[in-house]
Amino acid sequence: GVEVTAAGIRVWGATTEGVFRGLTTLRQLIAVHGADIPCQRIVDGPRFAWRGLSFDVVRTFHPPETVRRVIDMCALYKLNVLHLHLTDDQGWRFEVAARPELIKFGSLGAMADRPGGYYTPLELADLNRYAEERFVTLVPEIDFPGHTGAVSRAYPELTTELPGIPLPNGGTLEFHSLDPADPEVWTFVEDVVDAVIPQFPRSAYLHIGGDEAWGMSDEAHAAFVRRAAELVRAKGKRVVGWQEIARADVDQADLTQYWLDVQDIDAISERPEVPEFLIDHLAKARHDVPKALARGGKLLVSATTYLYFDRPHAASSTDPEQEETRARVGLRAYPPATIQDGVDWDPVANTPGVTSDDQLAGVEAAIWCETVTSRDDLEFLLLPRLPGAAEKAWSHTTPTTWPTYATHLAAQAPTWHRRGWTYFKSSEIDWP
């Protein structure tokens, strides 16, 4: 809690983390009011236990210094999870001693011609320690059985290459997957799980991906997810996966990360250029959340419409020099979004089938890096969106009106300036 009186300011909490969050509240009050903080008493706690950001470090590799900056952003807005998307078609970002080829081939590059890289065990230990000091937990994701192009380059004998889809630019969208019927695949999966768990000692969870396993049969995908989840549980970790894991009838305790919301399913499915395989995938996605809820499982809300920060910015910038960046950064498959769009919603009211906070584990925004070419691009998409996601994850109260929220958000800009963070100067907000 925080109490401001004429005699002074008192911050208290039942735990060290509680005091840390109280001091963060005080910092926000100072940002808004300066030295003239009104007398008040604030006693609160988070609406949801999981308040996170999913961070794609594969399509663009972000060095440890950038990860630390993102951890600082999370801590400033009371987010307590940074979910690192460590593996995908474009790269592999951590060491597996039993599988050295993963780094030999998987760290060579990223999307387009961007430089590659990976995190050494020492770098991950430092990042975990840095995050722990700020009450942020790093949660690792190993994405399989799809999104395994990097595995295919390192160990082609382990993956099944499925028929590709021609792209308008003349290239081909290739699909690779891990076959659950191949015993060698499970030796590989266990090697990977055994390697990643000790490199993220504070995380109770291991994210197993499970999304977009295009080209696999429903039966093969479900078989893989079930066995991978069993393996992770056997290693003493809890399971979280993208919403497609609901098709595998996973355990009630496993978290289902809801991302494909109906608004985007409808918008994408209606486009004439969308291939049949994707329309089929989207049709199945409509049933994922009902399946998870029917099992009594909890959802981690990452709905694309409100929480995918790789959408283009819809409003213009008050800084004309940012307009080139705005035209370039953000995935064009998604309609542009305003900053207000990220605030005018509710995790329960806007999640199909959900009627109570008890059905949700939390809220997690996501930043994917297909269009991100630098740290500045990354921060341009994160700010000023991140505080809006944090507001939805923390606040129990009736939503603040947009004008009030916009005023409070504008007051954050001096803090971002002092820290050297790039941010999008949306024309929706009267920046100082």
Side-chain angles (χ1 to χ4, degrees):
V2 178
E3 187 172 34
V4 181
T5 68
I9 298 173
R10 184 168 70 101
V11 177
W12 73 94
T15 63
T16 305
E17 181 179 356
V19 173
F20 183 85
R21 303 296 181 205
L23 288 169
T24 301
T25 297
L26 179 59
R27 292 170 68 182
Q28 304 295 359
L29 291 172
I30 293 170
V32 173
H33 301 287
D36 300 317
I37 304 173
C39 292
Q40 59 190 293
R41 192 172 193 265
I42 301 171
V43 179
D44 72 347
R47 179 179 180 183
F48 297 112
W50 187 304
R51 308 178 304 281
L53 174 68
S54 175
F55 184 15
D56 171 16
V57 296
V58 177
R59 294 176 180 88
T60 299
F61 177 69
H62 298 279
E65 179 190 359
T66 299
V67 179
R68 284 192 286 271
R69 288 166 74 98
V70 175
I71 291 169
D72 286 340
M73 290 180 193
C74 290
L76 181 60
Y77 295 107
K78 301 181 184 177
L79 298 179
N80 62 351
V81 173
L82 183 60
H83 158 189
L84 293 177
H85 184 80
L86 292 166
T87 74
D88 212 304
D89 294 323
Q90 298 83 2
W92 189 279
R93 305 301 183 208
F94 73 98
E95 288 187 12
V96 179
R99 302 284 177 165
E101 303 295 293
L102 286 171
I103 287 303
K104 180 178 178 181
F105 293 98
S107 68
L108 291 178
M111 196 160 189
D113 294 320
R114 297 167 208 157
Y118 70 98
Y119 306 109
T120 67
L122 180 59
E123 287 172 333
L124 286 176
D126 286 342
L127 287 173
N128 274 284
R129 184 163 50 250
Y130 189 88
E132 182 177 11
E133 291 169 353
R134 288 151 182 81
F135 298 95
V136 176
T137 299
L138 302 185
V139 173
E141 178 187 349
I142 313 302
D143 201 353
F144 43 35
H147 287 281
T148 47
V151 177
S152 180
R153 291 192 294 279
Y155 298 98
E157 69 278 9
L158 290 177
T159 62
T160 302
E161 185 168 348
L162 303 157
I165 300 293
L167 297 174
N169 63 7
T172 302
L173 180 62
E174 297 180 351
F175 300 148
H176 300 88
S177 65
L178 298 175
D179 181 0
D182 182 354
E184 290 303 312
V185 162
W186 292 106
T187 302
F188 169 79
V189 170
E190 188 157 13
D191 287 342
V192 169
V193 171
D194 283 342
V196 76
I197 285 175
Q199 293 185 67
F200 292 85
R202 290 193 64 242
S203 177
Y205 288 85
L206 177 59
H207 200 300
I208 62 171
D211 63 312
E212 298 179 334
W214 292 322
M216 288 186 80
S217 70
D218 293 345
E219 294 75 19
H221 172 259
F224 185 96
V225 169
R226 277 195 299 271
R227 185 161 174 182
E230 289 168 0
L231 175 63
V232 169
R233 288 188 224 106
K235 302 290 183 180
K237 295 296 180 180
R238 298 184 66 180
V239 173
V240 55
W242 298 106
Q243 69 181 63
E244 291 93 327
I245 69 168
R247 304 171 198 178
D249 295 325
V250 289
D251 192 89
Q252 181 180 356
D254 299 339
L255 295 186
T256 301
Q257 189 163 4
Y258 160 60
W259 66 281
L260 264 171
D261 60 52
V262 174
Q263 293 181 59
D264 277 328
I265 289 174
D266 290 341
I268 295 171
S269 298
E270 290 169 1
R271 294 180 183 176
E273 73 274 16
V274 174
E276 191 63 34
F277 81 90
L278 183 52
I279 291 175
D280 179 60
H281 181 78
L282 294 173
K284 293 174 184 174
R286 295 178 185 276
H287 307 291
D288 294 334
V289 166
K291 285 180 180 178
L293 294 175
R295 267 200 318 276
K298 290 197 173 188
L299 301 180
L300 180 57
V301 175
S302 298
T304 50
T305 299
Y306 311 105
L307 291 167
Y308 267 39
F309 291 170
D310 53 322
R311 285 176 180 268
H313 286 295
S316 61
S317 173
T318 59
D319 179 356
E321 293 185 2
Q322 288 192 334
E323 285 299 280
E324 180 277 329
T325 304
R326 187 172 75 91
R328 175 177 55 82
V329 177
L331 200 59
R332 303 296 141 172
Y334 295 120
T338 65
I339 305 306
Q340 185 173 354
D341 289 336
V343 176
D344 287 346
W345 71 287
D346 180 77
V348 169
N350 292 94
T351 302
V354 171
T355 57
S356 163
D357 284 13
D358 293 339
Q359 293 169 284
L360 304 183
V363 171
E364 183 172 285
I367 179 68
W368 302 101
C369 291
E370 284 93 339
T371 66
V372 170
T373 63
S374 66
R375 186 178 72 192
D376 284 345
D377 287 353
L378 172 74
E379 294 177 356
F380 182 85
L381 290 175
L382 286 175
L383 295 174
R385 286 171 165 160
L386 194 65
E391 171 97 357
K392 297 301 160 183
W394 181 276
S395 179
H396 297 264
T397 59
T398 302
T400 307
T401 63
W402 168 249
T404 301
Y405 179 83
T407 299
H408 291 170
L409 188 61
Q412 302 299 307
T415 298
W416 303 339
H417 278 297
R418 286 193 296 272
R419 290 174 175 255
W421 293 343
T422 298
Y423 67 97
F424 170 59
K425 299 173 184 177
S426 173
S427 56
E428 301 166 83
I429 296 159
D430 185 14
W431 301 104

